[in-house]
Amino acid sequence: MIPVTPLASEKPSALATDISERLNAAIREHLLSAFAPDSTKSLRSFSAPEAAELLGVSGQFMRKVHAEGTIPEPEDVRGGRRYYTAQEIWNAREILEKSSRKKGRYLPRRSGDEKLQVWQLMNFKGGSSKSTTTIHLAHYFALRGYRVLVVDLDPQGSLTSMCGISPEIDFDGLTVYDAIRYDEPVSMADVVVPTYFPGLSIAPSRLMLSEFETESAVHSNPDQPFFTRIRNALSQVEDDFDLVLMDSPPQLGFLTIAGMAAASSLIVPLTPSMLDVSSTAQFLELAGAYMGVIEDAGATLQYDHFKFLITRDEPTDVPSQQLTSFMRALFQDRVMSATALKSTAISDATMLKQSIYEVVRSEMTRATYDRAKGSVDAVGHEVETMIQQSWGRQ
């Protein structure tokens, strides 16, 4: 336990420093206990029905390909039941894709002239579930065979922590800041690291990323405008991925705007409350003004999709449903059909730095789990449909 001592009371600066030191020590102790002994995360195994669902096949088909020796038996077989690691499912995809008559059935990756999908999630209202939505989309697509890169543009590093890297405890690796800084930037390929989740890599963040805001405010070289920094960094690794998901900070600064200039599609998550809707209106007013400024400066902004996503949706809450209906009537298909439900299952998972896909169904009330997973699956499926449309696929 951390010893309790009186807080400093002389100067505000001393008080703030004291509180910061205590919080950092407490957070460090909590994280070390959560991820001890080596501070790494691991992913659970998936049952045979789950594996079949992820591969888009029947249980009978799975038994058949195992009997024929088409795909190897998983290492974990208990009581005659098969349990697969995510890597074993990934390997099965590659094997089945080779013999599939329909190209892309098991590995729905982009090919030919299909462009890299870069989706930015942004809003300057805290609590809009940007990071939660980003990690759930990342896991949804990785589990379905896409090569996914998440870029954490928030100096707080919440998404980085969700991906198994804790900026709070002894993380001194390269971050996205190192790839987009003005002085001697490193290659984005050196920044990107694979996660414990097969198919998912991350360009991590930590507090140093906030320096980009300061540097961009004073930088005056017209050959290196700030809004090209993220786009240029992503171009260095685009051949390695199908989808990039960017989690923006809760503010409309240089990082968010540079992300907008790099994005091919935008999602604005918002909760159905009048305060959040009003805040989002102000955010978009400012965003529109900034978009005009950087377009005048030579940036080309073209989005395949610009969508609102209702998050923390409560179907039984009448006022929130009225606001949701208001948004749908006003913006029609700009509002995604799927919503992200407010769920104790998702909240509990997030507290443990997990997505719903990492939770074992039997460890919580099954009806609660099924509603939560059904919700995030629906959001992922709708985004996947839009990505397929962007690639010109039926």
Side-chain angles (χ1 to χ4, degrees), residues 171-188 190-192 203-206 208-209 212 215 229 233 236:
F171 171 59
D172 57 0
L174 296 174
T175 69
V176 66
Y177 169 73
D178 296 292
I180 65 174
R181 67 192 185 201
Y182 295 92
D183 295 327
E184 300 181 353
V186 304
S187 170
M188 188 67 157
D190 294 330
V191 170
V192 171
S205 168
R206 56 178 172 169
M208 178 60 72
L209 181 57
F212 182 78
E215 293 170 4
R229 308 301 293 173
Q236 299 166 7

Side-chain angles (χ1 to χ4, degrees), residues 23-37:
L23 278 174
N24 284 330
I27 290 169
R28 179 184 175 86
E29 182 175 288
H30 169 73
L31 290 174
L32 285 174
S33 65
F35 299 121

Side-chain angles (χ1 to χ4, degrees), residues 125-148:
K125 181 68 172 64
S128 62
S129 299
K130 290 191 310 299
S131 299
T132 301
T133 303
T134 303
I135 197 64
H136 278 93
L137 285 174
H139 287 179
Y140 173 91
F141 282 100
L143 285 171
R144 279 154 183 79
Y146 293 85
R147 300 167 301 168
V148 183

Side-chain angles (χ1 to χ4, degrees), residues 258-315:
M260 289 161 52
S264 60
S265 292
L266 301 177
I267 292 180
V268 180
L270 76 158
T271 58
S273 72
M274 186 54 72
L275 282 175
D276 282 47
V277 171
S278 299
S279 175
T280 299
Q282 297 172 29
F283 171 77
L284 291 175
E285 180 181 359
L286 285 172
Y290 284 128
M291 285 178 180
V293 170
I294 63 176
E295 282 178 329
D296 292 341
T300 300
L301 301 181
Q302 186 172 359
Y303 302 123
D304 297 333
H305 305 281
F306 190 148
K307 298 284 187 175
F308 294 100
L309 170 65
I310 304 298
T311 60
R312 302 178 66 80
D313 183 25
E314 295 184 81

Side-chain angles (χ1 to χ4, degrees), residues 143-291:
L143 285 171
R144 279 154 183 79
Y146 293 85
R147 300 167 301 168
V148 183
L149 170 64
V150 290
V151 179
D152 193 351
L153 296 180
D154 189 345
Q156 296 178 79
S158 298
L159 188 64
T160 298
S161 295
M162 293 283 284
C163 286
I165 300 172
S166 297
E168 304 93 337
I169 50 174
D170 298 334
F171 171 59
D172 57 0
L174 296 174
T175 69
V176 66
Y177 169 73
D178 296 292
I180 65 174
R181 67 192 185 201
Y182 295 92
D183 295 327
E184 300 181 353
V186 304
S187 170
M188 188 67 157
D190 294 330
V191 170
V192 171
V193 292
T195 70
Y196 65 97
F197 211 107
L200 177 60
S201 299
I202 183 172
S205 168
R206 56 178 172 169
L207 195 57
M208 178 60 72
L209 181 57
S210 60
E211 290 295 310
F212 182 78
E213 300 285 346
T214 304
E215 293 170 4
S216 295
V218 299
H219 186 76
S220 60
N221 187 345
D223 295 328
Q224 297 183 11
F226 77 92
F227 55 81
T228 64
R229 308 301 293 173
I230 295 175
R231 183 181 63 203
N232 292 342
L234 291 178
S235 69
Q236 299 166 7
V237 295
E238 65 177 321
D239 291 341
D240 299 326
F241 299 99
D242 307 304
L243 169 64
V244 176
L245 296 167
M246 298 186 294
D247 182 28
S248 304
Q251 64 187 52
L252 192 58
F254 290 104
L255 283 166
T256 299
I257 299 169
M260 289 161 52
S264 60
S265 292
L266 301 177
I267 292 180
V268 180
L270 76 158
T271 58
S273 72
M274 186 54 72
L275 282 175
D276 282 47
V277 171
S278 299
S279 175
T280 299
Q282 297 172 29
F283 171 77
L284 291 175
E285 180 181 359
L286 285 172
Y290 284 128
M291 285 178 180

